[in-house]
Amino acid sequence: MSATSDDAASTIYSDGPTAAGPKRRGILGSLREFGPGIIAVLAMMGAGDLVTASVSGSNYGYNLMWLLAASLLIRFVIVNIMGRYQVLNLKNQTIIEGYRDVARWYPWAIGIAALISGHLLNGYMVRGAGEALARIFTVGDPFLWSCILVVASIFVIGKNVYKTIESIMKLLLAMMTVVFLGLAIYSVPDVGEIVRGTIGFGIPDNTGAIGVFAVALSLIGAVAGSMANFLYPYYVRDKGWRGAGFKKLQRNDILFGISSAIVISLSIWVVGAEILRPNGIEVTNLDDISQALSIHLGAVGGTIFYLGAFGILYSSVVGFANGFPKIIVDCLHIIRPSRRERYGDHFEDDPSFKWFSLFILVSPIIWAFPGMPGFVTMAVFVTGLQAVVVPLVAIGLLVLANKKSHFGENRANIFENIILVLTTLLTIWVTVQVVVGWV
């Protein structure tokens, strides 16, 4: 092992305050420590989960529920390994530096993919958030509200406000959970159908407004995640979690975040299957989803939905504009080491961070112009496109997670390796089916 590796390893396993980890606290104290998992999961979810879960439920009932369960498991395994690498790798590297050691072209590929993903994902997030605000205030055009949202966000993203963002995310998480979980319980879901859909592993007939394989691919991209998975280790890095003492906290943090995602995704799906589907409503726009609440609660229900939808969408706008530039700047520093020597390891100190952040925040406004693809159509397409890069992410992580020189005794276990292999095969199969359907 090199001297650098020895130094990193001694840092991890030393008795210093970083390696020692947080003080022991009760349940409430531990919850207050959580944050990176909540921010990452909310950023990864966004309109993707809102749309794909509601589209799946309203078009195909519970028949694709097994894919939701598989995607959530995939998300946990991939993001947990990435977070664990940030906390415990022996070389004191970022996750992108680890991928660089797998193949030299990875920083190029990840950097370009992150820039494109940040733009496209925020494209439909900004559009959807503008539509939600227009419905809440009942005045103004959605495009105007999208512009106001982007301008206001510039003043948030331009500051080092991790703590503020973390607090907002926790409040939004609570609001989303209460709104959708309450409605799902109110609808009295068919538990038997949920169980059959979860263990059925079947593909229903292509009868919905959106093709079943297009929905399946979108579900994988939205729930299992892809480029957005890289956000989590950077949020862990911002939190200062480094060393063996933080291993358990990091695992519990992402487990709490994924558990929240399970509750929210399942609640949205139940709403689609139990309220929208029986009323013959196939989700093609945001208003269709809002009918789930307005049917039972009138105008107040619609307002509650749009508040919750805005919370989901805006949390992603902020999360992506703050998170993706870290990935891109890290890739840039690896490709051009002189920039890291000049600006240091704090990505926000590199002037390019600001410009990448502004690009990911401002450029998506073009998708909010009247006449551009609809919110739901764009969400399904973009999240499906995200799923295409999942094999690239999974294969690289499979190699990296089994490098003893990098991970030591914390290498991926058999279960994690199986999930990464099956993830690659599942995504390739669904992608082929979508392409065959288009041809």
Side-chain angles (χ1 to χ4, degrees):
M1 184 181 291
S2 66
T4 302
S5 300
D6 289 336
D7 291 341
S10 65
T11 299
I12 294 176
Y13 298 107
S14 69
D15 294 327
T18 300
K23 296 179 180 179
R24 291 184 176 274
R25 293 188 172 114
I27 295 177
L28 291 178
S30 297
L31 288 176
R32 283 193 291 269
E33 287 287 339
F34 294 162
I38 295 172
I39 293 180
V41 167
L42 286 179
M44 285 185 283
M45 287 177 65
D49 286 52
L50 177 66
V51 171
T52 56
S54 59
V55 167
S56 300
S58 65
N59 284 270
Y60 301 106
Y62 295 113
N63 290 307
L64 291 174
M65 184 63 73
W66 65 272
L67 198 53
L68 173 65
S71 297
L72 285 166
L73 178 60
I74 291 168
R75 174 183 282 178
F76 173 74
V77 170
I78 289 179
V79 178
N80 184 52
I81 292 176
M82 286 183 171
R84 195 166 76 228
Y85 188 83
Q86 179 62 45
V87 173
L88 296 171
N89 79 84
L90 300 177
K91 295 179 176 290
N92 199 21
Q93 293 178 327
T94 64
I95 188 67
I96 307 298
E97 289 176 311
Y99 269 85
R100 185 268 318 274
D101 290 349
V102 173
R104 305 294 295 184
W105 51 265
Y106 258 118
W108 285 94
I110 293 173
I112 294 171
L115 186 64
I116 295 173
S117 295
H119 168 77
L120 290 177
L121 287 169
N122 258 1
Y124 69 84
M125 303 290 182
V126 168
R127 183 186 181 101
E131 291 183 9
L133 288 175
R135 298 298 186 276
I136 292 170
F137 292 102
T138 66
V139 293
D141 183 79
F143 174 67
L144 175 62
W145 281 109
S146 293
C147 292
I148 293 173
L149 175 70
V150 168
V151 172
S153 298
I154 291 175
F155 296 98
V156 175
I157 302 301
K159 305 289 192 302
N160 186 15
V161 290
Y162 178 85
K163 287 291 184 181
T164 302
I165 293 174
E166 180 179 306
S167 299
I168 293 173
M169 297 301 179
K170 289 179 179 179
L171 290 175
L172 294 177
L173 176 64
M175 182 175 67
M176 283 188 295
T177 303
V178 170
V179 170
F180 289 108
L181 179 60
L183 186 60
I185 295 173
Y186 176 78
S187 67
V188 189
D190 189 331
V191 178
E193 285 297 316
I194 293 176
V195 173
R196 278 188 288 272
T198 303
I199 64 176
F201 299 101
I203 297 292
D205 294 334
N206 196 16
T207 57
I210 301 176
V212 63
F213 280 107
V215 173
L217 189 64
S218 177
L219 192 62
I220 294 174
V223 181
S226 51
M227 294 312 301
N229 285 332
F230 285 96
L231 296 174
Y232 180 65
Y234 290 92
Y235 293 138
V236 168
R237 185 176 184 269
D238 287 345
K239 197 76 171 179
W241 294 353
R242 176 69 184 154
F246 289 95
K247 179 180 179 180
K248 183 177 180 180
L249 179 62
Q250 177 272 314
R251 183 196 63 213
N252 291 341
D253 171 69
I254 192 59
L255 185 61
F256 178 75
I258 295 295
S259 298
S260 302
I262 291 173
V263 173
I264 296 171
S265 297
L266 182 59
S267 299
I268 297 171
W269 196 304
V270 168
V271 167
E274 300 291 348
I275 297 179
L276 298 179
R277 184 174 172 83
N279 285 280
I281 301 172
E282 292 186 339
V283 175
T284 58
N285 55 58
L286 203 58
D287 292 338
D288 291 334
I289 309 175
S290 74
Q291 292 186 54
L293 273 74
S294 59
I295 286 174
H296 295 281
L297 302 176
V300 173
T303 301
I304 292 174
F305 166 77
Y306 285 115
L307 285 171
F310 175 75
I312 297 174
L313 293 160
Y314 186 63
S315 66
S316 296
V317 171
V318 175
F320 288 152
N322 187 58
F324 274 117
K326 295 176 183 178
I327 300 173
I328 300 167
V329 171
D330 193 14
C331 292
L332 184 62
H333 284 185
I334 294 170
I335 296 169
R336 297 181 60 185
S338 59
R339 293 192 70 91
R340 178 159 292 175
E341 294 175 3
R342 182 177 181 182
Y343 297 112
D345 292 331
H346 195 243
F347 302 129
E348 288 85 347
D349 291 338
D350 189 320
S352 65
F353 177 91
K354 176 182 65 178
W355 296 111
F356 285 128
S357 183
L358 285 173
F359 174 80
I360 291 173
L361 181 61
V362 177
S363 67
I365 198 66
I366 64 173
W367 300 104
F369 276 95
M372 297 301 283
F375 168 71
V376 169
T377 300
M378 190 174 176
V380 172
F381 174 76
V382 173
T383 51
L385 192 64
Q386 287 285 296
V388 175
V389 302
V390 169
L392 177 73
V393 174
I395 292 173
L397 191 61
L398 180 65
V399 176
L400 178 61
N402 286 280
K403 278 181 169 287
K404 188 174 182 180
S405 59
H406 289 60
F407 236 156
E409 62 182 19
N410 295 293
R411 287 176 295 171
N413 56 43
I414 294 177
F415 173 74
E416 291 172 330
N417 285 325
I418 291 174
I419 293 298
L420 291 175
V421 172
L422 293 179
T423 296
T424 302
L425 297 177
L426 173 65
T427 307
I428 292 175
W429 175 68
V430 175
T431 302
V432 169
Q433 295 300 319
V434 172
V435 173
V436 170
W438 285 343
V439 175

